[in-house]
Amino acid sequence: MSYFFGWLIDGVNAMEGSGWRMGRIDVVSADPQLRRFASETLQVWARDVRVFRSADELLASPSYDTADCIVADVALPGKSGLALQDTLTCAPHFVPFVFLTRHTDVSTVVQAVKAGAIDFLVWAEPTRRTANGAKTRVDNASHDFDLQAQLITAVSTAMARRHKLLELARERNELLAHFALLTPRERQVLFHVRNGLLNKQIAHQLAISEKTVKFHRGQLMKKVQAHSVAQLVQLADTITDAQIRPIINA
């Protein structure tokens, strides 16, 4: 196990040296053993791990929606882990979830994964039966080691995904801001360019000269920072119809 944590710390140092930003992880569980297991495992790897006993406690905390990953139990007092996932995985939050729980069923796992959970881990304590038939917990280092490795792998995947989603959202917002600078005439020209019309055809549609079309086309390409017509169309296509329709049809 010492080798594992030595390798882990080396990996953390390497990621920080390469510019990787170690983010915040929030652990949510009413089970004290699960909370301790998750927090102690992740504190070796992450610089900021917060612990909560319920979804409501997390949602009442400062910056509750800016964690890079949430490790949650399914069974929570009040709002369940799945309900918390529904609240925080959608835009504008993009907070990825890893579930860590003692007991579950297939339908719960399916629901969590369909909603975007990175992983669903089950902590089943190793037990043995005593002479009188009762079950008692057995300390099993290899079991904990395997689950620690799975948890860290899942959380690292989750944090990378959040980083990517936030980057895509930032790029889309910048693109929308660029398109918002277009004049009504430039938007009309863009609409026709996007539909594959040539300058001559656009001029006919808008009852203006082809020279004027070229001017507006050049202006709108500067504003959206497109270097070719193909790139212009590609940029326009990266925005959903619901977002771009009010712009190009204005």
Side-chain angles (χ1 to χ4, degrees):
M1 187 173 297
S2 61
Y3 170 79
F4 170 73
F5 283 112
W7 164 82
L8 183 59
I9 292 171
D10 288 342
V12 170
N13 293 334
M15 287 188 292
E16 289 181 329
S18 65
W20 176 270
R21 182 180 62 83
M22 300 302 295
R24 193 184 81 234
I25 305 168
D26 288 344
V27 176
V28 190
S29 177
D31 186 323
Q33 286 184 304
L34 278 182
R35 286 199 309 270
R36 185 170 61 252
F37 174 83
S39 61
E40 289 180 354
T41 298
L42 296 170
Q43 281 170 356
V44 176
W45 179 65
R47 292 292 181 260
D48 189 4
V49 179
R50 304 192 306 178
V51 179
F52 301 92
R53 293 173 175 79
S54 70
D56 292 333
E57 185 179 339
L58 168 66
L59 295 174
S61 68
S63 306
Y64 70 87
D65 58 348
T66 59
D68 288 283
C69 178
I70 291 179
V71 177
D73 200 344
V74 174
L76 297 173
K79 186 190 291 286
S80 70
L82 292 177
L84 180 63
Q85 181 190 20
D86 288 339
T87 301
L88 293 179
T89 53
C90 299
H93 309 300
F94 300 122
V95 182
F97 269 64
V98 173
F99 283 98
L100 177 65
T101 188
R102 287 182 186 271
H103 308 289
T104 189
D105 55 72
V106 174
S107 62
T108 301
V109 176
V110 170
Q111 184 178 347
V113 173
K114 281 187 175 180
I118 303 299
D119 207 341
F120 200 107
L121 306 176
V122 178
W123 188 38
E125 290 184 314
T127 60
R128 66 176 176 84
R129 290 194 178 275
T130 62
N132 61 4
K135 285 186 177 181
T136 182
R137 188 183 190 281
V138 178
D139 289 331
N140 190 326
S142 63
H143 171 271
D144 289 349
F145 173 84
D146 289 342
L147 193 57
Q148 285 172 329
Q150 292 176 50
L151 179 59
I152 290 174
T153 298
V155 169
S156 63
T157 300
M159 294 173 75
R161 179 173 296 183
R162 173 171 164 80
H163 177 77
K164 180 63 175 177
L165 287 173
L166 290 176
E167 180 65 19
L168 290 174
R170 183 191 63 78
E171 292 175 356
R172 181 172 283 110
N173 288 337
E174 287 183 358
L175 185 58
L176 284 169
H178 291 156
F179 277 111
L181 297 175
L182 301 182
T183 66
R185 180 65 84 186
E186 288 166 353
R187 295 169 187 171
Q188 291 175 335
V189 171
L190 172 61
F191 177 79
H192 292 301
V193 170
R194 191 169 183 247
N195 286 326
L197 271 65
L198 302 175
N199 288 343
K200 185 175 182 179
Q201 295 169 313
I202 297 173
H204 177 74
Q205 289 286 334
L206 300 180
I208 57 178
S209 69
E210 188 173 349
K211 183 178 180 180
T212 302
V213 171
K214 290 180 180 179
F215 171 78
H216 288 306
R217 187 163 164 171
Q219 288 298 106
L220 72 90
M221 289 183 68
K222 288 180 182 178
K223 290 180 180 180
V224 302
Q225 300 179 7
H227 302 293
S228 66
V229 175
Q231 186 183 14
L232 175 65
V233 174
Q234 184 179 21
L235 288 172
D237 286 342
T238 61
I239 306 175
T240 65
D241 289 340
Q243 290 173 310
I244 198 170
R245 188 176 293 113
I247 298 174
I248 62 177
N249 288 339

